[in-house]
Amino acid sequence: RFVAVSDNVKDYVWGNDFIVCLPYSSKELTVYDWYQDSGVEEVFEFDATVQKLLVSEDGKYTVANTLNDEMIIIDNETMKIKSRIPYEDYIYDMKFIEDNIIQCVGNYNVWTYDMDGKLLENVAIQEDYFNVEKLTADGKYVYGHTLDYLVAINCKTGEVEKQLPKDLLSYDYTYVFSNDADKCVILNKETRTLNLYDTASGTTLGSIDINATYVATICFSENDECVYVVYEDGNVEQYDSTTLTLKCVVTDLEY
């Protein structure tokens, strides 16, 4: 099974102990080594395609949402299904907010479940025309955009707490809110800049030029102190989240 560092693979060729990939809109080739772990064994098979899969921090549970409109919770010690949770709305994102509590977000609601499949909380999102992006790492906010704004919505109240006008944006962009939703980083692929904003005032805290064409994703660290820019070739740039000053370039986030 071949796993690339990004989903931007246009074409690839198998070689002798290596794989060469050509990304879309790229002038660079990526070469992968071939590696096989003889100790790998299949321990569970899903009955539908998995859209997103999470493992709790203590390693006891796996949660997956599938294309047959249900979440499956697996006990990792027994590799048996602990519970199944059917849903009607599309799940855009989900997070473990505790080892035994999962939070999910759809078009109009935020749901919280325990590992037995019991619904603990259902909060309606109080915003029309809200397009969901993601939950923050701690599950406190869900962020996305409306017709006119990038917004961060409090998952306990369902109400908008922070917002930025969309006239800051180009046609081709990606963005991420900090865990406290007090900052927002926007990657503008048209101007090839990375821009940091204060969400309370809408002011610019920093802006730098980067090789935006080949960025796979951007994210804040869990403590909001750093911004990571992850490139399709696996290189990662680490920036200060207050000034966007470059701190280092790494290929291993644990470095």
Short mmCIF file of all heavy atoms in Angstrom, two decimals, residues 139-195:
data_model
loop_
_atom_site.label_atom_id
_atom_site.label_comp_id
_atom_site.label_asym_id
_atom_site.label_seq_id
_atom_site.Cartn_x
_atom_site.Cartn_y
_atom_site.Cartn_z
N GLY A 139 -11.58 21.58 20.53
CA GLY A 139 -13.02 21.44 20.33
C GLY A 139 -13.84 22.58 20.89
O GLY A 139 -15.07 22.48 20.94
N LYS A 140 -13.20 23.68 21.28
CA LYS A 140 -13.95 24.80 21.85
C LYS A 140 -14.67 25.60 20.78
O LYS A 140 -15.76 26.13 21.01
CB LYS A 140 -13.00 25.70 22.63
CG LYS A 140 -13.70 26.84 23.36
CD LYS A 140 -12.70 27.67 24.17
CE LYS A 140 -13.40 28.82 24.88
NZ LYS A 140 -12.43 29.65 25.67
N TYR A 141 -14.08 25.68 19.59
CA TYR A 141 -14.67 26.46 18.50
C TYR A 141 -14.76 25.61 17.24
O TYR A 141 -13.96 24.71 16.99
CB TYR A 141 -13.82 27.69 18.18
CG TYR A 141 -13.76 28.73 19.27
CD1 TYR A 141 -12.72 28.72 20.20
CD2 TYR A 141 -14.74 29.70 19.38
CE1 TYR A 141 -12.66 29.67 21.20
CE2 TYR A 141 -14.69 30.66 20.39
CZ TYR A 141 -13.65 30.63 21.29
OH TYR A 141 -13.60 31.58 22.29
N VAL A 142 -15.75 25.93 16.41
CA VAL A 142 -15.80 25.45 15.03
C VAL A 142 -15.69 26.70 14.16
O VAL A 142 -16.31 27.71 14.43
CB VAL A 142 -17.09 24.67 14.72
CG1 VAL A 142 -18.34 25.46 15.07
CG2 VAL A 142 -17.12 24.26 13.25
N TYR A 143 -14.83 26.63 13.14
CA TYR A 143 -14.66 27.80 12.30
C TYR A 143 -14.97 27.47 10.85
O TYR A 143 -14.94 26.31 10.41
CB TYR A 143 -13.27 28.41 12.44
CG TYR A 143 -12.11 27.54 12.01
CD1 TYR A 143 -11.66 27.53 10.70
CD2 TYR A 143 -11.46 26.72 12.93
CE1 TYR A 143 -10.60 26.75 10.31
CE2 TYR A 143 -10.40 25.94 12.56
CZ TYR A 143 -9.96 25.94 11.24
OH TYR A 143 -8.91 25.15 10.87
N GLY A 144 -15.32 28.50 10.11
CA GLY A 144 -15.69 28.36 8.71
C GLY A 144 -15.99 29.74 8.15
O GLY A 144 -15.49 30.74 8.65
N HIS A 145 -16.86 29.79 7.14
CA HIS A 145 -17.15 31.11 6.57
C HIS A 145 -18.64 31.23 6.24
O HIS A 145 -19.32 30.24 5.97
CB HIS A 145 -16.32 31.37 5.31
CG HIS A 145 -16.57 30.40 4.19
ND1 HIS A 145 -15.88 29.22 4.06
CD2 HIS A 145 -17.44 30.44 3.15
CE1 HIS A 145 -16.30 28.57 3.00
NE2 HIS A 145 -17.24 29.29 2.42
N THR A 146 -19.12 32.46 6.30
CA THR A 146 -20.47 32.81 5.87
C THR A 146 -20.33 33.54 4.53
O THR A 146 -19.27 33.50 3.91
CB THR A 146 -21.16 33.71 6.91
OG1 THR A 146 -20.42 34.94 7.01
CG2 THR A 146 -21.19 33.04 8.28
N LEU A 147 -21.38 34.20 4.10
CA LEU A 147 -21.31 34.92 2.83
C LEU A 147 -20.30 36.06 2.88
O LEU A 147 -19.65 36.38 1.88
CB LEU A 147 -22.69 35.47 2.47
CG LEU A 147 -23.77 34.44 2.13
CD1 LEU A 147 -25.10 35.13 1.88
CD2 LEU A 147 -23.36 33.59 0.93
N ASP A 148 -20.14 36.68 4.06
CA ASP A 148 -19.31 37.89 4.15
C ASP A 148 -18.11 37.78 5.08
O ASP A 148 -17.22 38.63 5.03
CB ASP A 148 -20.17 39.07 4.62
CG ASP A 148 -21.32 39.35 3.66
OD1 ASP A 148 -21.05 39.43 2.45
OD2 ASP A 148 -22.45 39.50 4.13
N TYR A 149 -18.07 36.73 5.93
CA TYR A 149 -17.04 36.69 6.96
C TYR A 149 -16.43 35.30 7.11
O TYR A 149 -17.09 34.28 6.84
CB TYR A 149 -17.62 37.10 8.33
CG TYR A 149 -18.08 38.54 8.40
CD1 TYR A 149 -19.41 38.87 8.16
CD2 TYR A 149 -17.19 39.55 8.72
CE1 TYR A 149 -19.83 40.19 8.24
CE2 TYR A 149 -17.61 40.88 8.81
CZ TYR A 149 -18.93 41.19 8.55
OH TYR A 149 -19.35 42.50 8.63
N LEU A 150 -15.18 35.27 7.59
CA LEU A 150 -14.62 34.09 8.23
C LEU A 150 -15.05 34.17 9.69
O LEU A 150 -14.87 35.22 10.33
CB LEU A 150 -13.09 34.07 8.15
CG LEU A 150 -12.46 34.09 6.75
CD1 LEU A 150 -10.94 34.02 6.89
CD2 LEU A 150 -12.97 32.94 5.91
N VAL A 151 -15.59 33.09 10.25
CA VAL A 151 -16.13 33.17 11.60
C VAL A 151 -15.66 32.00 12.45
O VAL A 151 -15.37 30.91 11.95
CB VAL A 151 -17.68 33.19 11.60
CG1 VAL A 151 -18.19 34.40 10.85
CG2 VAL A 151 -18.25 31.91 11.00
N ALA A 152 -15.57 32.24 13.77
CA ALA A 152 -15.33 31.20 14.77
C ALA A 152 -16.54 31.16 15.68
O ALA A 152 -16.91 32.17 16.29
CB ALA A 152 -14.06 31.49 15.56
N ILE A 153 -17.18 29.98 15.77
CA ILE A 153 -18.41 29.82 16.53
C ILE A 153 -18.12 29.02 17.80
O ILE A 153 -17.46 27.97 17.75
CB ILE A 153 -19.49 29.12 15.69
CG1 ILE A 153 -19.93 30.05 14.55
CG2 ILE A 153 -20.69 28.71 16.54
CD1 ILE A 153 -20.92 29.43 13.59
N ASN A 154 -18.59 29.50 18.94
CA ASN A 154 -18.43 28.81 20.21
C ASN A 154 -19.29 27.54 20.22
O ASN A 154 -20.50 27.60 20.00
CB ASN A 154 -18.83 29.74 21.37
CG ASN A 154 -18.50 29.17 22.72
OD1 ASN A 154 -18.86 28.07 23.05
ND2 ASN A 154 -17.79 29.97 23.50
N CYS A 155 -18.68 26.40 20.47
CA CYS A 155 -19.40 25.13 20.41
C CYS A 155 -20.36 24.94 21.57
O CYS A 155 -21.24 24.07 21.51
CB CYS A 155 -18.41 23.97 20.38
SG CYS A 155 -17.49 23.84 18.82
N LYS A 156 -20.25 25.73 22.64
CA LYS A 156 -21.17 25.62 23.78
C LYS A 156 -22.42 26.46 23.57
O LYS A 156 -23.49 26.11 24.06
CB LYS A 156 -20.46 26.06 25.06
CG LYS A 156 -19.39 25.09 25.55
CD LYS A 156 -20.00 23.77 25.99
CE LYS A 156 -18.95 22.84 26.57
NZ LYS A 156 -19.53 21.53 26.96
N THR A 157 -22.29 27.56 22.84
CA THR A 157 -23.42 28.47 22.66
C THR A 157 -23.98 28.44 21.24
O THR A 157 -25.12 28.83 21.01
CB THR A 157 -23.02 29.91 22.99
OG1 THR A 157 -22.04 30.35 22.04
CG2 THR A 157 -22.44 30.00 24.40
N GLY A 158 -23.16 28.02 20.28
CA GLY A 158 -23.57 28.03 18.88
C GLY A 158 -23.52 29.40 18.25
O GLY A 158 -23.97 29.59 17.12
N GLU A 159 -22.95 30.38 18.95
CA GLU A 159 -22.95 31.76 18.47
C GLU A 159 -21.55 32.18 18.00
O GLU A 159 -20.53 31.70 18.50
CB GLU A 159 -23.43 32.71 19.58
CG GLU A 159 -24.86 32.44 20.00
CD GLU A 159 -25.32 33.37 21.10
OE1 GLU A 159 -24.46 34.12 21.63
OE2 GLU A 159 -26.50 33.36 21.45
N VAL A 160 -21.53 33.12 17.05
CA VAL A 160 -20.27 33.65 16.53
C VAL A 160 -19.58 34.48 17.62
O VAL A 160 -20.18 35.37 18.20
CB VAL A 160 -20.51 34.53 15.29
CG1 VAL A 160 -19.22 35.22 14.86
CG2 VAL A 160 -21.06 33.68 14.14
N GLU A 161 -18.30 34.19 17.87
CA GLU A 161 -17.51 34.97 18.83
C GLU A 161 -16.48 35.84 18.13
O GLU A 161 -16.17 36.94 18.60
CB GLU A 161 -16.82 34.05 19.84
CG GLU A 161 -17.72 33.60 20.96
CD GLU A 161 -16.95 33.09 22.15
OE1 GLU A 161 -15.71 33.27 22.20
OE2 GLU A 161 -17.60 32.51 23.04
N LYS A 162 -15.88 35.34 17.04
CA LYS A 162 -14.86 36.09 16.33
C LYS A 162 -15.14 36.04 14.83
O LYS A 162 -15.67 35.04 14.32
CB LYS A 162 -13.46 35.50 16.61
CG LYS A 162 -13.11 35.39 18.09
CD LYS A 162 -12.96 36.76 18.72
CE LYS A 162 -12.73 36.65 20.22
NZ LYS A 162 -11.43 36.15 20.59
N GLN A 163 -14.78 37.11 14.11
CA GLN A 163 -15.01 37.11 12.67
C GLN A 163 -14.04 38.06 11.97
O GLN A 163 -13.54 39.01 12.56
CB GLN A 163 -16.44 37.49 12.33
CG GLN A 163 -16.85 38.89 12.71
CD GLN A 163 -18.31 39.17 12.39
OE1 GLN A 163 -19.14 38.27 12.36
NE2 GLN A 163 -18.62 40.43 12.14
N LEU A 164 -13.77 37.76 10.71
CA LEU A 164 -12.95 38.61 9.84
C LEU A 164 -13.67 38.78 8.52
O LEU A 164 -14.25 37.82 7.99
CB LEU A 164 -11.59 37.95 9.58
CG LEU A 164 -10.55 37.94 10.71
CD1 LEU A 164 -9.37 37.08 10.31
CD2 LEU A 164 -10.11 39.35 11.05
N PRO A 165 -13.66 39.99 7.94
CA PRO A 165 -14.34 40.20 6.66
C PRO A 165 -13.64 39.44 5.54
O PRO A 165 -12.41 39.37 5.49
CB PRO A 165 -14.25 41.72 6.46
CG PRO A 165 -13.09 42.15 7.29
CD PRO A 165 -13.06 41.23 8.47
N LYS A 166 -14.41 38.88 4.63
CA LYS A 166 -13.84 38.11 3.53
C LYS A 166 -13.20 38.97 2.45
O LYS A 166 -12.56 38.43 1.55
CB LYS A 166 -14.92 37.21 2.91
CG LYS A 166 -15.28 36.01 3.77
CD LYS A 166 -16.37 35.17 3.15
CE LYS A 166 -15.91 34.47 1.90
NZ LYS A 166 -16.95 33.59 1.33
N ASP A 167 -13.34 40.28 2.55
CA ASP A 167 -12.69 41.12 1.55
C ASP A 167 -11.17 41.16 1.74
O ASP A 167 -10.44 41.76 0.96
CB ASP A 167 -13.26 42.55 1.55
CG ASP A 167 -13.16 43.25 2.91
OD1 ASP A 167 -12.41 42.76 3.78
OD2 ASP A 167 -13.84 44.26 3.09
N LEU A 168 -10.70 40.50 2.81
CA LEU A 168 -9.26 40.33 3.00
C LEU A 168 -8.68 39.29 2.04
O LEU A 168 -7.47 39.21 1.87
CB LEU A 168 -8.96 39.87 4.43
CG LEU A 168 -9.32 40.81 5.59
CD1 LEU A 168 -9.24 40.05 6.90
CD2 LEU A 168 -8.38 42.00 5.60
N LEU A 169 -9.56 38.51 1.43
CA LEU A 169 -9.13 37.29 0.76
C LEU A 169 -9.06 37.44 -0.75
O LEU A 169 -9.75 38.24 -1.36
CB LEU A 169 -10.10 36.15 1.09
CG LEU A 169 -10.39 35.93 2.58
CD1 LEU A 169 -11.45 34.86 2.75
CD2 LEU A 169 -9.12 35.56 3.32
N SER A 170 -8.21 36.60 -1.34
CA SER A 170 -8.20 36.44 -2.79
C SER A 170 -9.14 35.30 -3.16
O SER A 170 -9.80 34.72 -2.30
CB SER A 170 -6.78 36.11 -3.26
OG SER A 170 -6.40 34.82 -2.79
N TYR A 171 -9.17 34.96 -4.43
CA TYR A 171 -10.02 33.85 -4.87
C TYR A 171 -9.48 32.52 -4.35
O TYR A 171 -10.23 31.64 -3.95
CB TYR A 171 -10.10 33.83 -6.40
CG TYR A 171 -10.86 32.65 -6.95
CD1 TYR A 171 -12.25 32.61 -6.89
CD2 TYR A 171 -10.19 31.57 -7.50
CE1 TYR A 171 -12.95 31.53 -7.38
CE2 TYR A 171 -10.88 30.48 -8.00
CZ TYR A 171 -12.27 30.47 -7.95
OH TYR A 171 -12.95 29.39 -8.43
N ASP A 172 -8.16 32.37 -4.33
CA ASP A 172 -7.53 31.11 -3.96
C ASP A 172 -6.84 31.28 -2.61
O ASP A 172 -5.80 31.91 -2.52
CB ASP A 172 -6.53 30.69 -5.04
CG ASP A 172 -6.06 29.26 -4.87
OD1 ASP A 172 -6.55 28.57 -3.95
OD2 ASP A 172 -5.19 28.82 -5.64
N TYR A 173 -7.41 30.72 -1.56
CA TYR A 173 -6.87 30.90 -0.23
C TYR A 173 -7.20 29.70 0.66
O TYR A 173 -8.08 28.89 0.34
CB TYR A 173 -7.43 32.16 0.41
CG TYR A 173 -8.92 32.07 0.73
CD1 TYR A 173 -9.35 31.68 2.00
CD2 TYR A 173 -9.87 32.37 -0.23
CE1 TYR A 173 -10.70 31.57 2.28
CE2 TYR A 173 -11.23 32.27 0.05
CZ TYR A 173 -11.63 31.87 1.30
OH TYR A 173 -12.97 31.76 1.57
N THR A 174 -6.50 29.59 1.76
CA THR A 174 -6.85 28.65 2.82
C THR A 174 -6.56 29.34 4.15
O THR A 174 -5.76 30.28 4.20
CB THR A 174 -6.06 27.34 2.69
OG1 THR A 174 -6.54 26.40 3.67
CG2 THR A 174 -4.58 27.56 2.90
N TYR A 175 -7.21 28.91 5.21
CA TYR A 175 -7.08 29.63 6.47
C TYR A 175 -7.25 28.68 7.65
O TYR A 175 -7.78 27.57 7.52
CB TYR A 175 -8.13 30.75 6.56
CG TYR A 175 -9.57 30.27 6.54
CD1 TYR A 175 -10.28 30.13 7.72
CD2 TYR A 175 -10.20 29.95 5.34
CE1 TYR A 175 -11.60 29.68 7.71
CE2 TYR A 175 -11.51 29.51 5.31
CZ TYR A 175 -12.20 29.37 6.49
OH TYR A 175 -13.50 28.92 6.48
N VAL A 176 -6.80 29.14 8.82
CA VAL A 176 -6.96 28.37 10.05
C VAL A 176 -7.04 29.35 11.21
O VAL A 176 -6.33 30.36 11.26
CB VAL A 176 -5.78 27.38 10.25
CG1 VAL A 176 -4.44 28.11 10.30
CG2 VAL A 176 -5.97 26.54 11.49
N PHE A 177 -7.97 29.08 12.15
CA PHE A 177 -8.08 29.87 13.37
C PHE A 177 -7.24 29.22 14.46
O PHE A 177 -7.07 28.00 14.50
CB PHE A 177 -9.54 29.94 13.85
CG PHE A 177 -10.36 31.00 13.18
CD1 PHE A 177 -10.92 30.79 11.93
CD2 PHE A 177 -10.57 32.22 13.80
CE1 PHE A 177 -11.69 31.77 11.32
CE2 PHE A 177 -11.34 33.21 13.20
CZ PHE A 177 -11.90 32.98 11.94
N SER A 178 -6.73 30.04 15.37
CA SER A 178 -6.03 29.50 16.54
C SER A 178 -7.03 28.81 17.46
O SER A 178 -8.24 28.98 17.32
CB SER A 178 -5.31 30.63 17.29
OG SER A 178 -6.24 31.57 17.77
N ASN A 179 -6.53 28.05 18.43
CA ASN A 179 -7.41 27.31 19.32
C ASN A 179 -8.28 28.23 20.17
O ASN A 179 -9.41 27.89 20.50
CB ASN A 179 -6.58 26.39 20.22
CG ASN A 179 -5.83 25.34 19.43
OD1 ASN A 179 -6.42 24.61 18.64
ND2 ASN A 179 -4.52 25.29 19.60
N ASP A 180 -7.75 29.40 20.52
CA ASP A 180 -8.53 30.38 21.27
C ASP A 180 -9.30 31.33 20.35
O ASP A 180 -9.99 32.23 20.84
CB ASP A 180 -7.61 31.20 22.17
CG ASP A 180 -7.10 30.38 23.34
OD1 ASP A 180 -7.79 29.44 23.75
OD2 ASP A 180 -5.99 30.68 23.84
N ALA A 181 -9.16 31.13 19.03
CA ALA A 181 -9.88 31.93 18.02
C ALA A 181 -9.54 33.41 18.09
O ALA A 181 -10.27 34.23 17.54
CB ALA A 181 -11.39 31.72 18.13
N ASP A 182 -8.43 33.77 18.77
CA ASP A 182 -8.05 35.18 18.83
C ASP A 182 -7.16 35.57 17.65
O ASP A 182 -6.93 36.75 17.41
CB ASP A 182 -7.34 35.49 20.14
CG ASP A 182 -6.10 34.64 20.36
OD1 ASP A 182 -5.99 33.56 19.75
OD2 ASP A 182 -5.23 35.05 21.14
N LYS A 183 -6.69 34.57 16.89
CA LYS A 183 -5.87 34.83 15.72
C LYS A 183 -6.35 33.97 14.55
O LYS A 183 -6.95 32.92 14.75
CB LYS A 183 -4.39 34.51 16.00
CG LYS A 183 -3.77 35.35 17.10
CD LYS A 183 -2.37 34.87 17.42
CE LYS A 183 -1.78 35.62 18.60
NZ LYS A 183 -0.46 35.06 18.98
N CYS A 184 -6.04 34.44 13.35
CA CYS A 184 -6.37 33.69 12.15
C CYS A 184 -5.21 33.85 11.16
O CYS A 184 -4.73 34.97 10.95
CB CYS A 184 -7.67 34.19 11.52
SG CYS A 184 -8.16 33.29 10.02
N VAL A 185 -4.77 32.72 10.62
CA VAL A 185 -3.73 32.74 9.59
C VAL A 185 -4.38 32.43 8.25
O VAL A 185 -5.12 31.45 8.13
CB VAL A 185 -2.62 31.72 9.89
CG1 VAL A 185 -1.68 31.58 8.71
CG2 VAL A 185 -1.83 32.15 11.12
N ILE A 186 -4.12 33.28 7.26
CA ILE A 186 -4.68 33.10 5.93
C ILE A 186 -3.54 32.96 4.93
O ILE A 186 -2.66 33.82 4.85
CB ILE A 186 -5.57 34.30 5.53
CG1 ILE A 186 -6.72 34.46 6.52
CG2 ILE A 186 -6.12 34.10 4.11
CD1 ILE A 186 -7.57 35.69 6.28
N LEU A 187 -3.55 31.87 4.19
CA LEU A 187 -2.59 31.67 3.12
C LEU A 187 -3.23 32.15 1.83
O LEU A 187 -4.21 31.58 1.35
CB LEU A 187 -2.22 30.19 3.00
CG LEU A 187 -1.36 29.80 1.80
CD1 LEU A 187 0.01 30.44 1.90
CD2 LEU A 187 -1.25 28.29 1.69
N ASN A 188 -2.70 33.24 1.28
CA ASN A 188 -3.21 33.83 0.05
C ASN A 188 -2.36 33.32 -1.11
O ASN A 188 -1.21 33.72 -1.28
CB ASN A 188 -3.14 35.36 0.14
CG ASN A 188 -3.82 36.05 -1.02
OD1 ASN A 188 -3.78 35.57 -2.15
ND2 ASN A 188 -4.45 37.18 -0.75
N LYS A 189 -2.91 32.39 -1.89
CA LYS A 189 -2.13 31.77 -2.95
C LYS A 189 -1.98 32.67 -4.18
O LYS A 189 -1.11 32.45 -5.01
CB LYS A 189 -2.75 30.43 -3.35
CG LYS A 189 -2.68 29.39 -2.25
CD LYS A 189 -3.15 28.03 -2.70
CE LYS A 189 -2.99 27.01 -1.58
NZ LYS A 189 -3.42 25.66 -2.01
N GLU A 190 -2.82 33.69 -4.25
CA GLU A 190 -2.72 34.64 -5.37
C GLU A 190 -1.52 35.57 -5.18
O GLU A 190 -0.74 35.80 -6.10
CB GLU A 190 -4.02 35.44 -5.48
CG GLU A 190 -4.07 36.38 -6.66
CD GLU A 190 -5.40 37.09 -6.73
OE1 GLU A 190 -6.44 36.41 -6.88
OE2 GLU A 190 -5.41 38.33 -6.62
N THR A 191 -1.38 36.08 -3.96
CA THR A 191 -0.24 36.97 -3.67
C THR A 191 0.95 36.20 -3.12
O THR A 191 2.02 36.78 -2.91
CB THR A 191 -0.65 38.05 -2.65
OG1 THR A 191 -1.06 37.41 -1.42
CG2 THR A 191 -1.80 38.88 -3.18
N ARG A 192 0.76 34.89 -2.85
CA ARG A 192 1.80 34.02 -2.30
C ARG A 192 2.33 34.56 -0.97
O ARG A 192 3.53 34.65 -0.74
CB ARG A 192 2.94 33.83 -3.30
CG ARG A 192 2.49 33.16 -4.59
CD ARG A 192 3.65 32.75 -5.44
NE ARG A 192 3.19 32.03 -6.63
CZ ARG A 192 4.00 31.40 -7.48
NH1 ARG A 192 5.30 31.42 -7.29
NH2 ARG A 192 3.51 30.77 -8.52
N THR A 193 1.39 34.91 -0.11
CA THR A 193 1.76 35.43 1.21
C THR A 193 1.04 34.65 2.31
O THR A 193 -0.05 34.10 2.09
CB THR A 193 1.40 36.92 1.35
OG1 THR A 193 0.00 37.10 1.07
CG2 THR A 193 2.24 37.77 0.42
N LEU A 194 1.67 34.62 3.48
CA LEU A 194 1.06 34.08 4.68
C LEU A 194 0.77 35.26 5.59
O LEU A 194 1.68 36.04 5.90
CB LEU A 194 2.01 33.09 5.36
CG LEU A 194 1.44 32.27 6.52
CD1 LEU A 194 0.44 31.25 6.00
CD2 LEU A 194 2.57 31.57 7.28
N ASN A 195 -0.49 35.42 6.01
CA ASN A 195 -0.92 36.61 6.73
C ASN A 195 -1.54 36.24 8.07
O ASN A 195 -2.37 35.34 8.15
CB ASN A 195 -1.94 37.38 5.90
CG ASN A 195 -1.44 37.67 4.49
OD1 ASN A 195 -0.62 38.55 4.29
ND2 ASN A 195 -1.91 36.90 3.52
#
